[in-house]
Amino acid sequence: MNKPKIGVVGIPGKWSTEVLADRLEALTGFRAVIDMAEVELRLDTNQLMHGDLDLAQLDGVIVKKISEVYAPSAEDRILFISHIEKLGVQVFSSPEAIGKLINRLSGTLALQQGGVPMPKTRVTESLDQALAAVYEFGSVILKPLYSTKARGMEMLTADQDESELRQVLTAYREQNSLYYIQQTVKLDGRDLGMVFLGGEYFCTYSRVGNKDSWNTTIHSGGHYELFEPTEELIELGRKAQACFDLSFTTVDIALTDQGPVVFEVSAFGGFKGALEGCELDAAGAYADYVVAQINQRGVV
C-alpha cells in the first residue's frame, strides 16, 4: 500500500511548521513545507505549484499557518487552498473554516451566533461611537481585525485625556475599516488555551503573564503551565470550537469574576503550549489523525 503524500502549508524554519513536517515524514516518508508566498495558481491547468510540486496532486494538505501575520492577503491564499480542495485534495482544517477566523469580526459573529459567552464588544465605523464605548466600559482593548498574539492591540481607559483617545482612535481607523472594541475583563494573571483535535478534547494549558504586560501572550513574556479544567469548562471550549469545525484548534478562555468567557478560537492552534504546558506531542497526534483520516477515505 502506498503511503499518502501530505504537505504542510506554513512558515519555513518556524518550529511549529517544521515539527509537524517532521512528524508526517516519520509516518509517510514524504516531506513538503509549502510557503504560500512562493505558490503559483495555474487556472488553465488546475495546478497549484510550489516549485516543482503540484499541490493538487497531493493526498492531503495541512494548513499550519497561512501567513506570518493575519491580513486581507491571507484570505487570498485561502482561496488558493480552497481551489485544490474542490479538486479532491483533503485539507486540514478546511479553508471555509479557516476563512471565518482570519478576520476577527467574522470569528466573533460566529461565536456570538453560537451563544458562546464573550467580553462585551462594540463594532462601529464612527469615531464618536467608539469614544462613547470607551467611556461606557471604562477600560477597553482596541483590537485590529487582522491580528494574532495581541499584536497591534491597545488598551484604552476612560481616564485618559480625550484628545489622546481621539488621536489613538484616528490612527487605528487609518489602518482598519472598523473599530473593534472589547471591554477588558479581570483576570488572575492568566488565561487558558484549550486544545481540540478532530473536535475532541486534547488538553488545556494556561498562559501566565509576566506582570509587566496587560496581556498574557508568550509574545509578551508569558509562560505555559498545566491546567486541569472542569467538565463544564471543557464543554464551553467544545461549544466554541464547534462553531468552526476545525481539524485542530486552541480555544482561548478567560476565567473572570463574572464567569468564564471565550476570547477567540484559533484558526490553526499551537503545539508549543501543549508541549510545554501539558507535556503532550500535539504535532505528533495531529499527524496521526490526518494520516488516519486520509487512509479512511481510501485515497491510498
Side-chain angles (χ1 to χ4, degrees), residues 131 134-135 137-141 154-162 164-165 184:
L131 186 62
V134 176
Y135 288 132
F137 290 156
S139 177
V140 306
I141 306 298
E154 188 158 357
M155 178 180 286
L156 303 178
T157 60
D159 59 5
Q160 291 177 251
D161 183 77
E162 181 177 339
E164 179 185 356
L165 290 173
T184 58

Side-chain angles (χ1 to χ4, degrees), residues 104-126:
R104 188 180 304 280
L105 178 58
S106 60
T108 298
L109 290 174
L111 290 170
Q112 176 73 17
Q113 292 157 10
V116 176
M118 301 185 70
K120 292 180 180 180
T121 304
R122 300 289 168 81
V123 185
T124 181
E125 294 183 34
S126 166

Side-chain angles (χ1 to χ4, degrees), residues 9-12 14 16-17 34-37 63-78 81 98 102 146-149 151 267-268:
V9 170
I11 312 299
K14 289 291 187 177
S16 60
T17 296
I34 299 149
D35 181 353
M36 289 300 294
V63 185
K64 182 61 196 76
K65 199 76 171 176
I66 200 71
S67 64
E68 186 72 54
V69 295
Y70 286 7
S73 59
E75 296 175 317
D76 299 332
R77 293 178 173 186
I78 290 170
I81 301 296
I98 294 172
I102 294 298
Y146 298 92
S147 173
T148 61
K149 303 183 186 302
R151 293 186 182 95
F268 310 106

